[in-house]
Amino acid sequence: MQVHELVARFAKASNSSNPMKAAREELESLRGDIDAIDEALRFVAGTGGNARQVFYRSPSISLLKVCFPAGRRTPPHDHGTWATILLFSGEEKNTLYRSEDGKLRKASEVTLTRGSILPMMADTVHVAECLGNVPAIGLHVYGGDILELPRRMWHPETLEAHALDLTLYESFAQAASKAASAPLA
Ligand SMILES: [Fe+2]
């Protein structure tokens, strides 16, 4: 597997009549090739912010390798579009929320392991965290240009809604990682 082959598959999915469904079907078909994809994406750090995670972006789709180190938890955030994750390795707990006028309500939680796929609608808010002692690494597919879409994040303690701002995000992530659990869990 080479990175351009992966990009070609998802670029094609993004041009279909139902890109979210097509991307999910691609991820399902790639479940048996996790080691090959992981190898092809070794050059992507996956930590250090979206700029060190994204390896393809267009107005209709973004592809990221995301690595959550042990002990790392995100603040609640949305993606400004649909998102689907395929986990390669480690264990990643996701706490899912609904937002009503910016106020969060917990909806569900799910723990991903190797081969798990998690689709999230555009209005889903989530917290992702690495469980265990090894990083949680996965392929994240978003239905738009993840560096340009308007997104929201919530302070992990006050749950105040903010526009996603990458300079503020890191302080929110550090506070989220220090907490005993995801908000409202
Ligand atoms: Fe996310």
Side-chain angles (χ1 to χ4, degrees), residues 35-108:
D35 290 338
I37 304 166
D38 192 30
E39 184 66 36
L41 296 179
R42 282 283 153 84
F43 73 101
V44 183
T47 56
N50 285 154
R52 308 281 317 271
Q53 297 169 331
V54 67
F55 60 92
Y56 177 74
R57 66 188 179 98
S58 77
S60 57
I61 203 158
S62 294
L63 300 173
L64 292 82
K65 171 184 163 181
V66 176
C67 173
F68 290 116
R72 178 84 170 180
R73 182 186 290 120
T74 71
H77 63 275
D78 67 13
H79 308 97
T81 180
W82 59 264
T84 307
I85 299 170
L86 167 64
L87 205 74
F88 297 166
S89 57
E91 251 187 295
E92 184 187 302
K93 181 175 171 183
N94 276 263
T95 307
L96 306 174
Y97 304 87
R98 295 263 168 264
S99 157
E100 279 150 23
D101 300 326
K103 196 172 175 341
L104 293 185
R105 181 170 55 79
K106 185 184 164 185
S108 61

